[in-house]
Amino acid sequence: MSKELEAFLEYISVTKALSSKSVQAYMSDLSLIEEELGKALIHLDSSQLLALLSNYNNKRTLNRKLSSVNAFFEFCHKRDFDASMSKFKLSKIPKLLPKFLSFQEIQDGLSLIDKSSWLGLRDYALILFLYATGARVSEALELSRTDIEGEWLHIRHAKGEKERIVPIAKVARIAIDAYLNALKYENDFVWVNYQGTKLSRISAYKITQKYLGVSPHILRHSYATSLITGGADLRVVQELLGHASLLTTQVYTHIQKQNLKETVDVYHPMRNERL
């Protein structure tokens, strides 16, 4: 690893205080480029770098690596290192509306669960919990019993290491209590597997896939979509989801606009009129 790259990683971890995951992502992207091209990143020319990055067909992956490169050279420029490479433009990625489930679809999936065992109660409670809180699956799986206080949830293991507190619907809290009361294992983690140890991401995926046909993250989208279409303020939704930037939350405004259009199409007296 070049000394310039080491300086950059120290800068983002100490001065910028980025999360350990973010620093690891930068290090992975940039050190791999140095290794594959066999020279310090600061001495690369545009053609070499673009030739390497052209191997990535996934635009999101490509943009992440380009962002890492741009951040590195911006740092070098500010530190008066010998860097003459200009910034690269990111690939345009079409904005896709996030997939989500309606409340009725979620209810239909919940009706399939056999709640006669503690495992069934767990599956039922987990789905309700994800939909009621909008928590990321990684946040849910790190949840301890003390993180639930009444009808409030304290998310301590959030993305970017930013804690937040969100409310839990009463019906979800009742389902969680029923599951925990039936649980035959003692474990500080709320969500456990059949052996009594912490539930894995793969197991959580299998649960939501079995009953709803989607990944756990779709329940997070469903939570946000329900709030937005119900009239919730965008900044409130941003806070509940734990988004660092409002730009991330704004994708749901497209759903809100679509919902408004459909409402007008259905209820406006001129919907079927021709002038």
Side-chain angles (χ1 to χ4, degrees), residues 157-173:
H157 302 275
K159 186 177 180 180
E161 300 177 2
K162 295 180 180 179
E163 297 184 5
R164 67 185 188 280
I165 297 177
V166 298
I168 309 177
K170 186 176 181 179
V171 64
R173 181 60 205 266

Side-chain angles (χ1 to χ4, degrees), residues 21-33:
K21 289 183 179 178
S22 295
V23 174
Q24 182 62 39
Y26 275 112
M27 183 174 70
S28 175
D29 286 340
L30 297 175
S31 61
L32 182 62
I33 292 173

